[in-house]
Amino acid sequence: MNVNGKDYTSVWMERTTVYMIDQNLLPFEFRIYKAENYDDVCHAISNMITRGAGSIGAAAAFGMAQAFMQAPRNHSSAFVEQAYQKINATRPTARDLFAATERVFRAGTKSAQHAVEEAFLIHNEYIKAGEKIAEYGNNLIHNGFKIETHCNAGWLGLVEWGSALAPIYKAARSGKEIFVWVDETRPRGQGARLTAWELQQEHIPHKIIPDNAGAHLMSRNMVDIIFVGADRIARNGDVANKIGTLEKAIAAKAYGVPFYVCAPSSTFDLDCPDGNAIPIEERPQDEVLYQTGRDDHGRLHKLLVCSPESEALNPAFDVTPAQYITGIITEKCIVRP
Ligand code: MRU
């Protein structure tokens, strides 16, 4: 994607350094985070400098490759084993993280060069998958459609193209007139901060809506189709995605709005029989109790937005049962749950 006249992917590697767009600073500042070793990559994933299932997968793949390149000769297997464990412990839900580290770990048993090649292959597969998802999803979009999306499943979350935003980019670039409702996605605001920023870069008309506005808009025929991403898809078609996805899916079913999940096949976890087996990350309560934003003078502030005595629960994902999903758009085909 083009930002300020330069093409970027969300995550990339040059020599032994991994680079990522710092998503915590967007939309206020565009800065690149440099990870010199796998520890830095772990820090970036745990702290959501990079986030979104595909970008987490690509970062994890490059971090694993760094471990093979930087392992000391005398105890290289202990070093890469430790890296494998540490990267896998960064976040629990996105399947792509584990699929990526496993692939690079296996390739690295041949040589460090094989590990590096596998990591670049994974990165490239994400780019190609996004483009195919764009094509299949675009076929579902008619001129004049109003599309709702939740969280950020754009190119920041899947290297290039994105997953849920990929069909939207394809439709806009092919000349369709479309409009996007962007769920703000509390508590971290991935919709308001990241999806809206991405759509601005592409000049796609959109408005941010409060998370609790979706059902109302659907009840007034103001949503023609919904596209969301996925963090893990169980064998029966249940989908874990950003908290709040489930409510959109239930409302969509009630009002007859087609509800599509967009994800590369690497997000499927065939060892997970159903959504109950998907681990759901619980994040710090401060993400709910405080909000960070910019004042009119451009200064960033972190503000307490509730009573100082209040406590919060912060589940980062929910599981949408397959019965609420119209189809899952992958790089291979559209799967009907
Ligand atoms: O906690 P996050 O921001 O990593 O959650 C991201 C999402 O839930 C996305 O919708 C999902 O990863 C799909 S993005 C390719």
Side-chain angles (χ1 to χ4, degrees), residues 48 51-53 91 151-153 157 163 190 229-231 241-242 317:
M48 294 176 81
R51 46 134 306 280
R91 292 191 72 189
C151 193
N152 171 263
S163 51
Q190 287 94 331
D231 289 87
N241 192 49
K242 181 51 57 193
F317 302 96

Side-chain angles (χ1 to χ4, degrees), residues 202-331:
E202 283 274 312
H203 309 289
I204 297 175
H206 63 279
K207 277 190 179 156
I208 297 165
I209 54 170
D211 282 329
N212 36 15
H216 167 68
L217 298 187
M218 290 180 223
S219 77
R220 298 284 166 101
N221 292 322
M222 291 165 74
V223 182
D224 297 298
I225 197 165
I226 299 176
F227 291 116
V228 297
D231 289 87
R232 198 184 289 228
I233 304 173
R235 200 164 61 220
N236 71 338
D238 291 352
V239 170
N241 192 49
K242 181 51 57 193
I243 193 80
T245 303
L246 171 61
E247 288 174 14
K248 308 298 162 221
I250 293 169
K253 182 117 185 167
Y255 288 104
V257 177
F259 184 92
Y260 284 92
V261 171
C262 307
S265 50
S266 49
T267 307
F268 284 77
D269 183 356
L270 300 182
D271 291 333
C272 252
D274 57 44
N276 288 324
I278 299 178
I280 299 295
E281 177 181 12
E282 201 179 309
R283 293 193 59 84
Q285 61 169 345
D286 274 9
E287 292 184 351
V288 179
L289 304 176
Y290 291 84
Q291 290 287 303
T292 302
R294 201 176 71 171
D295 68 18
D296 290 344
H297 305 289
R299 287 182 295 253
L300 283 181
H301 299 280
K302 184 179 168 193
L303 299 172
L304 181 69
V305 292
C306 58
S307 150
E309 280 78 41
S310 293
E311 293 183 358
L313 177 73
N314 188 14
F317 302 96
D318 59 26
V319 173
T320 300
Q323 68 182 100
Y324 294 109
I325 297 166
T326 313
I328 303 176
I329 307 173
T330 75
E331 77 279 19

